[in-house]
Amino acid sequence: MKKIEAFIQPEQFEAVKKELFAAEVFKMSVSQVKGCGQQKGYTESFRGQAVDINLLPKTKIEIAVNEDFVQPTIDAIIRGARTGNIGDGKIFVLDLPQCIRVRTGETGSKAIG
Ligand SMILES: Nc1ncnc2c1ncn2[C@@H]1O[C@H](COP(=O)(O)OP(=O)(O)OP(=O)(O)O)[C@@H](O)[C@H]1O
Ligand SMILES: [Mg+2]
C-alpha cells in the first residue's frame, strides 16, 4: 500500500479529479494549503502581522492505494495538473503500513479498496 500526496495548482483540481475518476480512483481527501517549491517562500512582518509573501495557495490531494493503482494514480494526476509552467505541482509517494476501515474492522488492502 502507498499513500500518494499531491500538491497542485487549485485551478487544476477539477481536471485532476476528472482524470482520477477516469482512472477509477474515487477515494481521496482534499485540502487547501499554502506552499512553496524551489522558487522559495518566506514570511515578512507587515504592520506587526506576519504575512506570507511567497507561500501560495495549493490544493493537496491525499490518496491511499493498493500497489496496482500507484502508477495509474500518478499518471492521472500528471495528466490533469501539468501545464508546463513553474508551480505545476509535486507528487510524493509514501509507504503505507496499515489501513483500517472503522465500520467493519477490515484492514490492509481490503480496507483501502
Ligand atoms: N520538497 C517539498 N516539501 C514539501 N512540499 C513541497 C516540496 N516541494 C514542493 N512542495 C509543495 O508542492 C507545491 C508545488 O511545488 P512546485 O510545483 O512549485 O515544485 P517545484 O519543485 O518548485 O517545481 P517547479 O520548478 O516546477 O515550480 C509547493 O507549493 C509546496 O506546497
Ligand atoms: Mg515551484
Side-chain angles (χ1 to χ4, degrees), residues 36-39 86-88:
C36 61
Q38 63 180 352
Q39 285 74 28
I86 279 171
D88 266 356

Short mmCIF file of all heavy atoms in Angstrom, two decimals, residues 36-39 86-88, ligand 2:
data_model
loop_
_atom_site.label_atom_id
_atom_site.label_comp_id
_atom_site.label_asym_id
_atom_site.label_seq_id
_atom_site.Cartn_x
_atom_site.Cartn_y
_atom_site.Cartn_z
N CYS A 36 5.34 26.41 -1.00
CA CYS A 36 6.28 26.92 -1.99
C CYS A 36 7.23 25.80 -2.35
O CYS A 36 7.45 24.86 -1.58
CB CYS A 36 7.05 28.12 -1.46
SG CYS A 36 8.04 27.75 -0.03
N GLY A 37 7.75 25.89 -3.53
CA GLY A 37 8.70 24.90 -4.01
C GLY A 37 10.08 25.52 -4.13
O GLY A 37 10.50 26.29 -3.27
N GLN A 38 10.73 25.24 -5.24
CA GLN A 38 12.12 25.68 -5.36
C GLN A 38 12.26 27.17 -5.66
O GLN A 38 13.37 27.69 -5.67
CB GLN A 38 12.85 24.85 -6.41
CG GLN A 38 12.32 24.98 -7.82
CD GLN A 38 13.11 24.11 -8.79
OE1 GLN A 38 14.14 23.54 -8.42
NE2 GLN A 38 12.64 24.01 -10.04
N GLN A 39 11.11 27.87 -5.86
CA GLN A 39 11.21 29.32 -6.02
C GLN A 39 11.29 30.03 -4.66
O GLN A 39 11.39 31.25 -4.60
CB GLN A 39 10.03 29.85 -6.85
CG GLN A 39 10.15 29.55 -8.34
CD GLN A 39 9.88 28.08 -8.67
OE1 GLN A 39 9.15 27.41 -7.97
NE2 GLN A 39 10.52 27.60 -9.74
N ILE A 86 6.02 26.70 -14.24
CA ILE A 86 6.55 26.61 -12.89
C ILE A 86 5.39 26.52 -11.92
O ILE A 86 4.38 27.20 -12.08
CB ILE A 86 7.42 27.86 -12.60
CG1 ILE A 86 8.81 27.67 -13.19
CG2 ILE A 86 7.49 28.17 -11.12
CD1 ILE A 86 9.65 28.92 -13.16
N GLY A 87 5.53 25.65 -10.90
CA GLY A 87 4.48 25.53 -9.88
C GLY A 87 3.38 24.55 -10.25
O GLY A 87 2.36 24.51 -9.56
N ASP A 88 3.56 23.77 -11.28
CA ASP A 88 2.55 22.78 -11.68
C ASP A 88 2.26 21.80 -10.56
O ASP A 88 1.15 21.26 -10.48
CB ASP A 88 3.01 22.00 -12.91
CG ASP A 88 2.50 22.60 -14.20
OD1 ASP A 88 1.72 23.58 -14.15
OD2 ASP A 88 2.87 22.09 -15.27
MG MG B 2 7.90 25.89 -7.84
#
